[in-house]
Amino acid sequence: MSGRAQLMWDEAVTGYDFGPDHPMDPVRLALTRRLVDAFGLDREVDVVAAKPAGDSTLRLVHREDYVEAVKAASVDPRAADAAYGLGTMDDPAFAGMHEVSALIAGQSVGAAEAVWRGDALHAVNFAGGLHHAMPGGASGFCIYNDASLAIARLLELGAERVAYVDVDVHHGDGVQAAFWEDPRVLTVSLHEHPRTLFPQTGWPEETGAAGAEGSAVNVALPAGTGDAGWLRAFHSVVPELIADFRPQVLVTQHGADTHFEDPLAHLAVSLDAQRAVQVACHELAHEYAEGRWVALGGGGYAVVDVVPRSWTHLVAIAAGREVAPSSVIPESWRQEVFARTRQLGPVRMTDGRWPVSFVGWDAGYDPADRLDQAVLAARRAAFPLRGLLA
Ligand SMILES: [Zn+2]
């Protein structure tokens, strides 16, 4: 096993820009990259720019007519075809859209290749995690599904078991759909309940197609879930599934939009709990997947206060040089934040909730508690299909 982690990065990924009124402001990527540098983490990882995903790679997941529609919209945004989800409010077309989307996808595919071949034990692409893109259409700020493409590439390289764990506040619907019929891929998504949030899927009863029963697991969390509940849900579902499935590679998606400050969703998770789940994913990769870990970003619309800190922690964990939550953020980064956004950046790498605590599932559940009901619904729907006790 190889020591150093890879950070996938090409500055051009910041060209993934739907325009000034869109919540997915690419400054979140630039500020994350600068914060990684401010803590000297760029010297602790190999920073690698992979090539863009080519047509044959995109075709592992996406339909040819959809890729052609993206290319057409990329050349002439006025030609965007809403039948493919392009030129919509969520996914406005912009010049160069195909190229930058393929570049982001290429970073996740490159991460998967590096981990599979042993060039790196862990690889991070925080520009990725675009989990809503469907085989035949754009959705939810996502053009190409880099997470699905990374997994598809692993399968192409010979992987027989890949686990995907998605802790974005939104359901990882595109990845679930891509591998709905494939028992080689276990998709686990923890998200805000579809009743209250886009994309209105991710019900516990979604468990995979015939022949792949139990290959999809969905934990639909009540709006308002905070640290203790979110961590209890994660630890009550994910480790047992991973221990049983024994993936050869663990792919995780770390959307930071679970945060209490996030403007687009309604969970109440802190940076400190996000970091605790990142640490847990890292440990699961070591315990059950010989350390092979591909970690992706995802959503996150508190672009100054939350996203850069959350994903800097992710890079630090992958690098094996964790940044203590109490760490003070270098003033140079805060100056850059102000220069770029006219906002004041955060001061520390914590929300002051560290250490976060939760009660594990084995301590028993409360049938009247909505969080416990959500966990039990997920377990009851999927676990028996995998031969596990609900
Ligand atoms: Zn999201």
Side-chain angles (χ1 to χ4, degrees), residues 131 168-170 257 299:
H131 59 168
D168 192 286
V169 78
H170 301 93
D257 42 10

Side-chain angles (χ1 to χ4, degrees), residues 129 131-132 140-141 166-171 197-198 253 255-258 262 264-265 298-301:
H131 59 168
H132 296 305
F141 315 164
D166 184 321
V167 298
D168 192 286
V169 78
H170 301 93
H171 177 224
L197 196 67
F198 178 90
Q253 196 271 21
D257 42 10
T258 48
D262 197 90
L264 297 192
Y301 309 97

Side-chain angles (χ1 to χ4, degrees), residues 30-234:
L31 290 178
T32 301
R33 182 67 178 87
R34 300 293 99 74
L35 190 56
V36 164
D37 288 4
F39 278 105
L41 294 168
D42 54 326
R43 297 189 299 274
E44 307 288 332
V45 295
D46 294 325
V47 181
V48 174
K51 61 181 182 3
D55 287 0
S56 61
T57 300
L58 293 172
R59 283 292 307 281
L60 293 175
V61 168
H62 293 290
R63 286 198 335 236
E64 189 171 13
D65 58 319
Y66 172 55
V67 175
E68 291 309 314
V70 175
K71 286 180 179 174
S74 187
V75 173
D76 179 6
R78 290 165 307 177
D81 188 346
Y84 291 104
L86 300 167
T88 57
M89 287 277 283
D90 275 5
D91 301 281
F94 59 93
M97 161 187 249
H98 165 75
E99 285 74 16
V100 69
S101 302
L103 183 64
I104 290 174
Q107 304 316 304
S108 293
V109 170
E113 290 173 344
V115 165
W116 183 254
R117 292 175 178 150
D119 298 339
L121 198 53
H122 313 319
V124 180
N125 176 24
F126 59 73
L130 303 175
H131 59 168
H132 296 305
M134 289 292 171
S139 176
F141 315 164
C142 304
I143 306 301
Y144 295 138
N145 197 316
D146 61 285
S148 293
L149 288 162
I151 294 166
R153 179 68 178 131
L154 289 167
L155 298 175
E156 189 181 50
L157 288 167
E160 290 163 350
R161 291 180 315 284
V162 180
Y164 173 75
V165 175
D166 184 321
V167 298
D168 192 286
V169 78
H170 301 93
H171 177 224
D173 58 342
V175 185
Q176 175 179 292
F179 303 103
W180 185 245
E181 301 178 350
D182 195 333
R184 295 173 298 174
V185 181
L186 170 67
T187 64
V188 186
S189 180
L190 273 78
H191 45 261
E192 183 179 330
H193 201 284
R195 225 180 260 123
T196 50
L197 196 67
F198 178 90
Q200 281 85 42
T201 56
W203 296 79
E205 294 74 23
E206 297 168 29
T207 53
E213 294 95 343
S215 69
V217 181
N218 286 290
V219 188
L221 300 164
T225 297
D227 288 356
W230 194 62
L231 292 172
R232 176 167 164 82
F234 180 91

Side-chain angles (χ1 to χ4, degrees), residues 246-330:
R246 303 260 160 183
Q248 292 160 298
V249 185
L250 178 63
V251 179
T252 57
Q253 196 271 21
H254 297 272
D257 42 10
T258 48
H259 195 272
F260 55 77
E261 278 181 45
D262 197 90
L264 297 192
H266 324 93
L267 295 196
V269 171
S270 74
L271 182 76
D272 300 291
Q274 291 179 345
R275 181 180 175 281
V277 159
Q278 294 164 359
V279 168
C281 288
H282 176 235
E283 286 172 359
L284 287 171
H286 276 283
E287 211 164 334
Y288 301 109
E290 294 172 34
R292 285 188 287 265
W293 183 33
V294 174
L296 308 173
Y301 309 97
V303 298
V304 169
D305 212 35
V306 177
V307 172
R309 292 190 295 162
S310 189
W311 295 344
T312 295
H313 277 306
L314 182 64
V315 172
I317 290 160
R321 216 210 66 185
E322 296 186 22
V323 171
S326 60
S327 302
V328 173
I329 292 176

